[in-house]
Amino acid sequence: MNIRRCGDQALLVDVGDTGGIDAVLGLYSALSDPRPDGVTELVPAARTLLVRFDPAVIGTGELVELLTGTEPVPAQAMRGELVEIPVYYDGADLAEVGKHTGLGADGVVEMHTAAEYTVAFGGFAPGFGYLTGLHPKLHLPRRATPRTHVPAGAVAIAGEFTGIYPRSSPGGWQLVGRTEVPLWDPARRPPALLRPGTRIRFREVR
Amino acid sequence: MIEVVRPGPLTTVQDLGRPGLAALGVGRSGAADRRSAALANRLVGNLDGAAVLETTFGGLVLRFRQVARVVVTGAPCPIRRGRRGEAMNAPFTVWPGEELTLGAPTSGLRTYVAVRGGIGVDKVLESRSTDLLAGLGPAALSEGDELPIGDDECGPLPSVEVAPVPDPAGFALTVRVMPGPRDDWFTAEALKTFATATYEVTSESNRVGVRLTGPVLERAREGELLSEGMVPGAIQVPPSGLPLVFLADHPVTGGYPVIGVVLTDDLPVMAQARPGQTVSFRLVSADLPAAA
């Protein structure tokens, strides 16, 4: 674990490739409930956890000590809430993904619905979650040219992740399906259906 | 009630934003120049969390339908209340039917208008801030909008007639920067350039960030950084090699290396930097205290 300064009010904890997403999530879980006094924000990402703090409440040295002394929650102990997402597998890129992987459209659907996913982190838009657990056969690059408009609820894959666009936006992921489940509602508490640690299964609907 | 007669190029409602929600993809947002916004609230006796108006490059005209205690802070600009002139950083009373007009700032970029009681628009996720990147909170003001004056808890009215505010920072800005967290992605030459060169603020700047032009910063390594959390003041260097300083509506995560981060105390200077002004960075130590 490597801790770096990120200005005068944040530290960036880099867990490296060996730790990976599980180590980030483990550290995030250990620190998020309850958040230590003076820690104002935790931002998990693929290899890092950003920790923003209020220097009036906790000193930098004190926080470094706290972080190095924090035992990450082991992956098997982080059984977040399980959410089932019904999906219409009619995405614009489904046929192409089927051809590219050699699985065919049906094979892609079968593989995508077979796995259990975990929200690793968010950040692209409110309510968006990067889901890990995608079968390596479905690891595909982004589209060479991003679409200017991806509809809300689009279920997509890119790299080692799958995810759902919470609202219409530009996007470069491969679209395999869509869901009508509302992912983001500012009036709901919490507003995001998918939060770091949430487990997900996709179920095909026709 | 306050009627928006003219919104100017961009006026938004801002408070302290939405801390603590970054893991859900929601950035903090809030006033870009927090020092000026806080001063405005203090001068009308509001608590720190009250919502104010943040207007970019002046041009705002408001008509008041009720009496209000008002103050203008931030980028200094001519202020008219009806036919009278008013001064910056000096609270005054606006009477029903009067118009308040802010001209173009003589220096700086963002001017703040606070009203005793706060701007009472509806909250989204506990905040009245407009986050232009995430599309959260009230829309930017448009002509004909009606803004309720809030009934936020207030403190006593301060007895000052004018708050002492230092003169604007001048044309050539200098801000202090803590190197890292990804300064090791750049060549020694680039780090030296970064610490000594003068950059110019471009007109592509907004509440998301201040885009700069000047000497290119070369990377020492190939490949892509995996996205990681961002903070206001983070100086990201995209493949163009031209730095960009994040402000209040910055993305929650970003995939370009951050060469350094502007100190929190100097962020208001960045938030007031207008296109054409120059910025240089003065590096301060980023050593971590040794763990006990």
Side-chain angles (χ1 to χ4, degrees):
Chain A
M1 186 163 95
N2 177 357
I3 301 178
R4 294 156 184 258
R5 284 260 202 193
C6 188
D8 56 350
Q9 298 193 359
L11 294 174
L12 187 71
V13 184
D14 193 331
V15 302
D17 288 343
T18 43
I21 287 166
D22 283 346
V24 175
L25 264 183
L27 198 57
Y28 170 75
S29 306
L31 291 168
S32 55
D33 197 18
R35 270 203 301 249
D37 281 346
V39 171
T40 56
E41 195 101 57
L42 295 167
V43 193
R47 297 289 179 271
T48 56
L49 180 69
L50 177 76
V51 182
R52 288 178 73 178
F53 64 97
D54 178 354
V57 182
I58 188 166
T60 311
E62 217 179 323
L63 183 57
V64 169
E65 219 168 298
L66 187 146
L67 292 172
T68 42
T70 299
E71 202 59 49
V73 178
Q76 55 276 24
M78 284 186 296
R79 304 281 294 172
E81 181 196 0
L82 179 67
V83 176
E84 193 184 77
I85 308 273
V87 178
Y88 298 93
Y89 281 94
D90 56 3
D93 299 321
L94 182 64
E96 187 58 38
V97 172
K99 206 152 65 178
H100 195 90
T101 55
L103 294 165
D106 290 347
V108 171
V109 175
E110 203 176 304
M111 196 167 268
H112 196 253
T113 50
E116 184 180 293
Y117 303 92
T118 305
V119 180
F121 53 93
F124 161 70
F128 183 82
Y130 290 82
L131 311 185
T132 56
L134 186 68
H135 195 287
K137 274 198 178 153
L138 292 177
H139 292 189
L140 291 176
R142 287 156 199 257
R143 287 169 54 83
T145 315
R147 288 188 169 84
T148 53
H149 177 86
V150 173
V155 177
I157 57 181
E160 56 182 300
F161 300 109
T162 183
I164 312 165
Y165 285 84
R167 58 171 187 206
S168 65
S169 71
W173 289 30
Q174 314 270 1
L175 310 183
V176 295
R178 72 194 150 90
T179 181
E180 287 164 357
V181 173
L183 293 158
W184 175 254
D185 177 2
R188 190 169 60 189
R189 288 292 174 277
L193 181 66
L194 310 184
R195 305 178 291 284
T198 307
R199 295 177 298 138
I200 285 114
R201 271 186 174 281
F202 294 107
R203 178 170 56 85
E204 184 181 18
V205 289
R206 289 172 191 273
Chain B
M1 194 69 82
I2 305 169
E3 185 191 331
V4 178
V5 180
R6 280 212 316 268
L10 174 69
T11 303
T12 57
V13 178
Q14 296 295 339
D15 56 18
L16 296 175
R18 305 180 178 83
L21 297 174
L24 306 184
V26 177
R28 198 168 291 190
S29 188
D33 172 357
R34 287 182 176 240
R35 191 179 297 147
S36 296
L39 175 66
N41 273 328
R42 238 166 284 148
L43 286 173
V44 292
N46 286 343
L47 301 186
D48 282 351
V52 300
L53 297 179
E54 176 182 286
T55 187
T56 309
F57 225 73
L60 174 68
V61 183
L62 303 171
R63 185 180 295 123
F64 285 68
R65 302 244 186 84
Q66 69 194 85
V67 64
R69 193 72 181 160
V70 175
V71 72
V72 181
T73 66
C77 64
I79 307 165
R80 269 192 307 128
R81 171 177 64 83
R83 288 186 192 165
R84 282 181 55 106
E86 296 286 354
M88 296 292 299
N89 310 305
F92 52 90
T93 299
V94 182
W95 299 97
E98 278 187 329
E99 278 190 8
L100 177 68
T101 303
L102 305 189
T106 48
S107 67
L109 189 61
R110 296 183 167 95
T111 303
Y112 293 83
V113 181
V115 177
R116 183 168 168 85
I119 301 293
V121 295
D122 290 341
K123 288 185 178 180
V124 176
L125 295 172
E126 321 288 320
S127 164
R128 299 185 167 100
S129 289
T130 299
D131 183 335
L132 292 171
L133 186 75
L136 282 177
L141 301 194
S142 28
E143 192 183 316
D145 281 356
E146 296 193 330
L147 304 170
I149 295 180
D151 51 9
D152 286 12
E153 191 189 338
C154 290
L157 273 175
S159 55
V160 294
E161 284 177 5
V162 58
V165 171
D167 281 341
F171 185 79
L173 306 171
T174 302
V175 293
R176 291 166 297 166
V177 169
M178 209 176 258
R182 300 296 177 188
D183 48 334
D184 53 350
W185 276 61
F186 298 89
T187 62
E189 192 60 31
L191 291 169
K192 200 174 139 209
T193 305
F194 177 63
T196 52
T198 298
Y199 284 90
E200 188 182 318
V201 176
T202 76
S203 57
E204 267 96 275
S205 305
N206 53 30
R207 279 181 47 85
V208 175
V210 179
R211 285 178 189 274
L212 302 171
T213 184
V216 165
L217 302 171
E218 301 273 2
R219 284 191 198 173
R221 50 202 280 187
E222 300 282 312
E224 290 303 307
L225 183 72
L226 289 165
S227 285
E228 57 193 26
M230 290 288 140
V231 294
I235 305 170
Q236 228 192 19
V237 184
S240 68
L242 295 174
L244 177 164
V245 187
F246 280 139
L247 296 182
D249 289 355
H250 68 85
V252 174
T253 58
Y256 299 127
V258 169
I259 191 169
V261 180
V262 176
L263 296 195
T264 308
D265 276 352
D266 290 358
L267 269 178
V269 176
M270 284 312 308
Q272 292 292 0
R274 60 205 258 178
Q277 268 188 293
T278 61
V279 183
S280 30
F281 301 113
R282 189 157 68 73
L283 300 193
V284 300
S285 164
D287 290 345
L288 276 175

